[in-house]
Amino acid sequence: MTIRTLTRRAALLAATAAASLALAACGGGDGAAHAGHGGSASPAASATAGTHNAQDVTFAQGMIPHHRQALEMAKLADGRASSARVKDLAARIEKAQDPEIRTMTGWLTAWGEQVPMAGMDHSGHAGMTGMAGMMSDDDMAALRKATGADFDRRFLSLMVEHHRGAVEMAGTEKSGGAYGPARTMAGDIVRAQNAEILEMKRILGGS
């Protein structure tokens, strides 16, 4: 076999290998594109793809104003509470519930559902009357006027009832919701707020 023949064969093999690599790259690119469309959809896309149900919407639309009222109550503690334990509890409530409001707002926006307006956080507002644990305008007005040990007792007593309402709402979501992240949040709310209810009862029992 001549050197010229060997050279031709080597060139042919190199060309064949290059063509195979090019075809494989094209096929891989198609697969990646399809995976990007279906397998790794964004949270907003998955939220609008039928992964939630009416209970998930009800949960988010109800829990947002419920949490907002809890934040309003918690923010009063810094300048009115006399107990360091009450102030610490209020700070933890703010830290936990504010991010949950933002998360649920994102869900509703992605689903094309109405986000409750700010200010719809008292039982006196339309649609809020039957919500478990919500404080009335009179309850909130009395809490704003209270200071010292009186504030501590009122805050703890009202927040126990508020938390019980949230636990009830979260339990309904756990049993009837379809959206995984919402059901997970509901479970977190049940665990965290039941623990805080026990904590508040202990503080009330010692005051």
Side-chain angles (χ1 to χ4, degrees), residues 84-90 92-93 156 160 163 192-206:
R85 294 174 72 185
V86 170
K87 290 181 179 181
D88 175 66
L89 173 67
R92 281 185 277 127
I93 288 171
L156 293 169
V160 165
H163 272 26
Q193 298 204 18
N194 272 333
E196 288 174 351
I197 287 170
L198 293 176
E199 179 183 355
M200 289 187 282
K201 285 182 173 180
R202 285 195 295 268
I203 298 173
L204 279 168

Side-chain angles (χ1 to χ4, degrees), residues 5 22 30 49 55 59 68 72 76 78-79 81 86-87 110 121-122 126-127 131 144 150 166 177 183 185-186 200 203:
T5 303
D30 265 354
Q55 171 54 41
F59 170 69
R68 281 176 181 158
E72 183 180 351
L76 296 173
D78 187 47
V86 170
K87 290 181 179 181
D121 49 6
H122 298 167
M131 192 179 297
R144 290 189 195 97
D150 179 43
R183 294 180 64 184
M185 180 184 288
M200 289 187 282
I203 298 173

Side-chain angles (χ1 to χ4, degrees), residues 38 41-57 107 110-111 173 176-183:
S42 68
S46 64
T48 57
T51 57
H52 68 286
N53 63 13
Q55 171 54 41
D56 298 317
V57 176
W107 295 341
W111 297 335
E173 168 61 20
Y179 188 52
R183 294 180 64 184

Side-chain angles (χ1 to χ4, degrees), residues 2-207:
T2 65
I3 293 175
R4 182 177 297 175
T5 303
L6 287 172
T7 302
R8 274 196 201 129
R9 287 189 178 179
L12 181 60
L13 286 171
T16 303
S20 298
L21 286 172
L23 286 171
C26 289
D30 265 354
H34 290 309
H37 267 292
S40 59
S42 68
S46 64
T48 57
T51 57
H52 68 286
N53 63 13
Q55 171 54 41
D56 298 317
V57 176
T58 298
F59 170 69
Q61 288 180 334
M63 196 61 79
I64 286 173
H66 204 277
H67 272 17
R68 281 176 181 158
Q69 188 180 68
L71 293 183
E72 183 180 351
M73 295 167 69
K75 287 174 182 176
L76 296 173
D78 187 47
R80 293 170 174 81
S82 62
S83 167
R85 294 174 72 185
V86 170
K87 290 181 179 181
D88 175 66
L89 173 67
R92 281 185 277 127
I93 288 171
E94 286 191 63
K95 185 177 180 181
Q97 296 194 20
D98 190 47
E100 289 177 347
I101 290 172
R102 292 196 298 271
T103 298
M104 290 184 285
T105 298
W107 295 341
L108 291 172
T109 301
W111 297 335
E113 300 287 351
Q114 183 178 2
V115 177
M117 294 183 296
M120 293 179 60
D121 49 6
H122 298 167
S123 62
H125 287 283
M128 300 295 108
T129 305
M131 192 179 297
M134 291 291 282
M135 301 298 104
S136 67
D137 288 334
D138 289 343
D139 291 329
M140 294 301 298
L143 188 62
R144 290 189 195 97
K145 292 177 183 176
T147 57
D150 179 43
F151 176 88
D152 295 342
R153 284 190 296 271
R154 287 178 182 272
F155 175 83
L156 293 169
S157 298
L158 292 173
M159 193 62 82
V160 165
E161 293 305 311
H162 203 270
H163 272 26
R164 283 175 176 159
V167 168
E168 180 182 330
M169 294 163 64
T172 302
E173 168 61 20
K174 284 181 66 181
S175 63
Y179 188 52
R183 294 180 64 184
T184 297
M185 180 184 288
D188 292 341
I189 289 171
V190 169
R191 286 188 295 274
Q193 298 204 18
N194 272 333
E196 288 174 351
I197 287 170
L198 293 176
E199 179 183 355
M200 289 187 282
K201 285 182 173 180
R202 285 195 295 268
I203 298 173
L204 279 168
S207 60

